[in-house]
Amino acid sequence: MLKNSRIFKNFFYTKKMFALMWKNDKAYIIYMLSDILIYSCIPFINMYLIKISISMLETKAEIGLYVPVILGLLAANLAANCTHNFLNYKRDVHGSMISVILYKNIFVKTLDIDYERLLDKEIKERRELALGIINNSRFANLATSFHNIVSNIVILFGIVVILSQIDFWILMLVLLIVIINTLSIRYRQKYERSIHLDLTPAVRRNGYFMQIGSDFSFVKEIKTYLMDKQIIKRYIDLQNELRKGIDKSLSLSLAGYAIAYVMEAVLNGVVYVYLGYRVLVRYDLSIANFSLFLSAITNFNRSIQSIISAFVNISNDGQYLQDYFDFMDIQTVRDVEEASLPEISNHEMYSFTMENVSYRYPHKEDYALRNINLKIEAGEKLAIVGENGAGKSTLVLLLMRMIEPTEGRILLNGTDIRQYHIEEYRKLFSTVFQDFKLFSFTIQDNITSLEEPNLPLAVQVAENVGLEKKITSLRKGMDTYLDKLYDNEGVLLSGGEAQRLAIARALYKNAPIFVLDEPTAALDPKMEHEIYAKFREITEGKTTFYITHRMASTHFCDRIIVLKEGNIIETGSHKELIKEKGYYNELYQMQAQYYSETDEKE
């Protein structure tokens, strides 16, 4: 009962898929249904072509009658096959676009999923399974299976009418052989699904190794630290793991095909002997009808097997459809937001309050932040400092609603930030993340975030961060692509240049709130000083968060928040914290001593 329930559930997902296809490309369904009609006629044209030609030869019909009849049937066969191939071609063209739509849906869903959930291994594997409907051609297999079921049901009804003229037990023999073949197919596909699930983590790791081999930054690390032999060894080990899984799957297929060939040989032997007996001994069957019944039994066997095989395929591929729809049904912040959520008032100043905020990452026991109570005044420049792992970046992610508090709440101008639409809320922020990313688009695209460009402003912010010389040295200027993906004239930026471009993007957006997570880590001291001077000018009167390891960059901030092991242990201005001679002073003196020693050596 449970198995039948699962099969019908899989067919339910197939129904959802065809509804999706109809919504996105009605032509695909129309071409498929037209092809089913044409394809169903082809076996009967072939069967009666043989029967009529033999019958006319047996009765020694006149050549003037024989030729037009045979040519007419051959023309019908040619027209049907050409039409079938054309419709198949059109279906494949439209089917490829539906695969693009399915991938687009997965891509959009990935962007919608909450940031912290994307870090979850389970979500990553669910996405990998969802991609299986595209990567392994299962969408095409599904459509083909549906086509085979409907067309072969039509064929079957016609053949049953023909075969009703011979003994009933022959049909029973055909059905028995079909059932044996179907059971073997069902068994094989059940375990192929199991093998695929076991291999999913290995496939994901294989994708990571492919990324390592194509990412220039990885190649530099590998060459520098001579990691190539060990990485290749691990990749070979992974390939061996994948090979074992593929070998199991192919072995199952080989056994299934062997059973099918044996059963088909048994059926052919019985049918040839029986129909030959009727022709040679009982004399109640003409050679023309011998050929007709033989073709009909062969097509009956083929149609039954195609129907059941397609049924099993739909049931099996329905599980991958379920993977796709399960991933698409993952609830996100956007899904639960109501249209009635209030708009964010157009304030020039924004203040924050964190009330008893704690955060623990999924599947982690320890809290990254614990019981944070913090008031950030409108227009305040706040530095957040601490050692690695202190919780600085986590605090910023919470402020930006990349992650939600495990406990407590965050208020913007007195209102819980969860009361606002997430996209409207994030429009308030200009950010430079510590692990910022640039895109393989043009320099202008990266500065403007793909928005309609304000070219004078883009040029101005590029100049503000010291990129004007670099850009003017390029033949295509602001239209130069980053790396070589789109254009062989694309430029590879240095670490400092890339960071300046990320800063330019934040300056261009010029949002009311700035979040700067180690914004100058890759810059030399002179450029760092110039950038901070620009920041002070541009962020005048705006709420600004600086997350930094460099204590020297905190002097101009109104207040400094010192984090340690997820807790706020000190707050105050630079001078106040130095006078307290606490943890901040200890960190500052360590760095000041380092800079002093460096100056002496120079």
Side-chain angles (χ1 to χ4, degrees):
M1 185 68 181
L2 182 62
K3 183 181 290 187
N4 290 336
S5 173
R6 185 169 66 248
I7 289 173
F8 284 112
K9 185 178 181 181
N10 291 337
F11 269 86
F12 167 74
Y13 282 108
T14 304
K15 179 182 175 183
K16 288 182 68 174
M17 177 60 74
F18 277 96
L20 180 67
M21 291 160 55
W22 179 257
K23 177 182 177 182
N24 287 283
D25 193 347
K26 294 180 176 62
Y28 181 88
I29 303 295
I30 294 171
Y31 283 125
M32 175 184 286
L33 295 177
S34 301
D35 186 40
I36 286 171
L37 182 63
I38 297 297
Y39 180 76
S40 302
C41 297
I42 294 175
F44 297 101
I45 295 174
N46 291 332
M47 282 190 288
Y48 278 94
L49 172 62
I50 297 172
K51 178 185 182 295
I52 291 172
S53 63
I54 293 176
S55 178
M56 293 182 77
L57 291 173
E58 281 185 312
T59 58
K60 300 189 183 301
E62 294 182 6
I63 190 68
L65 178 62
Y66 175 79
V67 171
V69 170
I70 298 305
L71 290 180
L73 288 170
L74 287 173
N77 179 277
L78 176 63
N81 277 288
C82 289
T83 305
H84 163 63
N85 287 330
F86 172 76
L87 294 172
N88 228 0
Y89 154 73
K90 297 295 289 185
R91 184 163 59 92
D92 288 344
V93 170
H94 286 264
S96 65
M97 294 310 300
I98 291 179
S99 294
V100 171
I101 291 168
L102 294 177
Y103 186 82
K104 182 209 72 175
N105 292 344
I106 294 174
F107 180 68
V108 171
K109 188 67 177 183
T110 302
L111 296 180
D112 284 347
I113 291 176
D114 311 334
Y115 176 77
E116 63 182 327
R117 300 191 72 186
L118 288 176
L119 303 177
D120 193 333
K121 174 176 174 289
E122 179 185 347
I123 295 295
K124 291 179 180 178
E125 292 192 355
R126 287 176 68 178
R127 182 179 183 276
E128 196 69 34
L129 288 172
L131 286 169
I133 194 65
I134 303 166
N135 293 345
N136 298 312
S137 302
R138 288 193 170 86
F139 169 75
N141 294 342
L142 174 70
T144 300
S145 296
F146 177 81
H147 176 281
N148 288 344
I149 284 180
V150 178
S151 59
N152 280 286
I153 286 175
V154 175
I155 292 170
L156 199 61
F157 276 115
I159 291 176
V160 166
V161 173
I162 297 172
L163 293 181
S164 62
Q165 303 173 49
I166 63 173
D167 291 344
F168 180 74
W169 68 270
I170 287 288
L171 297 182
M172 293 302 98
L173 175 63
V174 173
L175 286 175
L176 176 62
I177 290 175
V178 166
I179 289 171
I180 293 172
N181 285 338
T182 300
L183 290 176
S184 71
I185 291 170
R186 181 63 181 166
Y187 174 85
R188 183 178 79 242
Q189 293 188 336
K190 174 184 175 182
Y191 283 95
E192 282 179 346
R193 163 72 176 180
S194 175
I195 292 168
H196 175 70
L197 289 175
D198 290 340
L199 285 177
T200 294
V203 170
R204 187 164 51 83
R205 292 196 297 272
N206 185 67
Y208 176 69
F209 275 97
M210 298 295 288
Q211 178 188 353
I212 288 175
S214 60
D215 192 318
F216 182 67
S217 61
F218 281 111
V219 172
K220 288 192 297 182
E221 299 287 340
I222 292 170
K223 288 181 178 295
T224 301
Y225 292 99
L226 306 178
M227 298 166 64
D228 52 329
K229 291 182 180 178
Q230 285 301 318
I231 286 180
I232 291 171
K233 180 181 180 301
R234 293 192 179 193
Y235 183 60
I236 291 173
D237 291 341
L238 178 61
Q239 294 305 305
N240 288 334
E241 181 182 347
L242 289 169
R243 182 186 58 77
K244 289 177 182 178
I246 294 170
D247 184 66
K248 285 182 182 178
S249 180
L250 293 178
S251 296
L252 286 169
S253 296
L254 180 62
Y257 287 129
I259 293 171
Y261 292 147
V262 170
M263 291 298 101
E264 186 174 352
V266 170
L267 175 63
N268 287 337
V270 172
V271 168
Y272 272 97
V273 169
Y274 174 71
L275 293 179
Y277 171 78
R278 298 261 316 252
V279 173
L280 299 174
V281 177
R282 289 173 51 179
Y283 303 109
D284 60 352
L285 190 67
S286 68
I287 295 176
N289 282 328
F290 172 93
S291 67
L292 177 64
F293 291 150
L294 183 62
S295 296
I297 290 174
T298 301
N299 280 285
F300 181 86
N301 177 38
R302 187 178 299 142
S303 295
I304 290 287
Q305 288 197 37
S306 293
I307 290 170
I308 297 178
S309 178
F311 185 94
V312 172
N313 285 337
I314 286 181
S315 173
N316 185 53
D317 287 338
Q319 297 179 59
Y320 296 94
L321 281 178
Q322 181 176 348
D323 293 332
Y324 169 80
F325 284 111
D326 282 351
F327 179 76
M328 296 302 297
D329 290 340
I330 293 175
Q331 198 171 57
T332 68
V333 173
R334 292 183 183 181
D335 297 327
V336 298
E337 287 184 336
E338 299 292 335
S340 59
L341 290 178
E343 293 184 359
I344 300 176
S345 300
N346 188 21
H347 293 279
E348 292 185 0
M349 307 291 283
Y350 295 89
S351 64
F352 291 89
T353 303
M354 303 184 78
E355 296 181 349
N356 301 314
V357 172
S358 297
Y359 184 75
R360 181 175 60 193
Y361 284 96
H363 309 299
K364 298 289 185 181
E365 294 184 2
D366 297 330
Y367 280 82
L369 288 174
R370 188 69 177 172
N371 200 33
I372 302 296
N373 288 279
L374 184 62
K375 172 72 174 177
I376 301 109
E377 299 295 341
E380 186 175 15
K381 290 177 173 52
L382 192 75
I384 304 171
V385 303
E387 295 181 289
N388 289 334
K392 304 186 299 297
S393 294
T394 301
L395 191 147
V396 170
L397 292 174
L398 285 166
L399 284 170
M400 294 190 62
R401 282 194 72 187
M402 292 293 182
I403 56 180
E404 301 284 350
T406 307
E407 300 165 15
R409 63 177 186 159
I410 303 173
L411 307 177
L412 171 67
N413 292 344
T415 302
D416 192 320
I417 61 175
R418 288 170 290 196
Q419 297 301 310
Y420 298 117
H421 280 291
I422 193 165
E423 288 187 354
E424 292 300 313
Y425 179 77
R426 288 182 184 156
K427 287 179 181 178
L428 299 177
F429 292 86
S430 278
T431 60
V432 181
F433 291 113
Q434 183 177 6
D435 57 346
F436 69 88
K437 300 295 181 186
L438 300 178
F439 298 90
S440 297
F441 306 138
T442 66
I443 293 174
Q444 178 176 285
D445 288 337
N446 276 276
I447 292 176
T448 63
S449 302
L450 304 179
E451 296 289 340
E452 189 67 30
N454 179 339
L455 191 56
L457 178 59
V459 171
Q460 180 61 53
V461 297
E463 183 178 343
N464 287 344
V465 299
L467 281 177
E468 73 281 0
K469 288 184 179 179
K470 178 68 175 182
I471 293 173
T472 54
S473 71
L474 301 171
R475 189 175 70 84
K476 296 183 179 179
M478 296 282 278
D479 293 323
T480 303
Y481 281 92
L482 300 188
D483 72 46
K484 311 291 184 180
L485 182 64
Y486 283 95
D487 189 346
N488 283 331
E489 292 188 46
V491 63
L492 297 175
L493 299 180
S494 68
E497 290 168 339
Q499 191 159 42
R500 277 181 267 175
L501 186 55
I503 294 170
R505 179 167 57 198
L507 296 178
Y508 181 89
K509 185 178 180 182
N510 195 27
I513 303 165
F514 273 77
V515 176
L516 308 167
D517 188 355
E518 298 288 0
T520 59
L523 303 182
D524 59 72
K526 181 176 181 294
M527 180 53 64
E528 180 182 32
H529 175 76
E530 293 176 3
I531 292 294
Y532 273 122
K534 291 292 182 183
F535 277 148
R536 285 196 294 272
E537 177 185 335
I538 291 171
T539 61
E540 184 65 34
K542 297 184 178 183
T543 307
T544 310
F545 299 89
Y546 293 89
I547 296 87
T548 182
H549 289 87
R550 299 189 185 186
M551 306 305 153
S553 63
T554 62
H555 292 199
F556 63 89
C557 292
D558 301 317
R559 188 158 50 118
I560 300 167
I561 305 298
V562 185
L563 287 172
K564 185 176 183 180
E565 297 178 353
N567 297 288
I568 295 177
I569 61 171
E570 292 177 328
T571 63
S573 68
H574 173 74
K575 290 182 179 180
E576 290 169 347
L577 294 178
I578 290 295
K579 287 181 181 179
E580 290 181 7
K581 296 189 181 300
Y583 182 62
Y584 174 83
N585 180 65
E586 178 186 340
L587 294 176
Y588 182 81
Q589 295 302 330
M590 289 171 60
Q591 291 192 8
Q593 180 182 4
Y594 169 76
Y595 288 129
S596 176
E597 290 175 355
T598 302
D599 291 340
E600 288 177 5
K601 289 178 181 179
E602 291 177 351

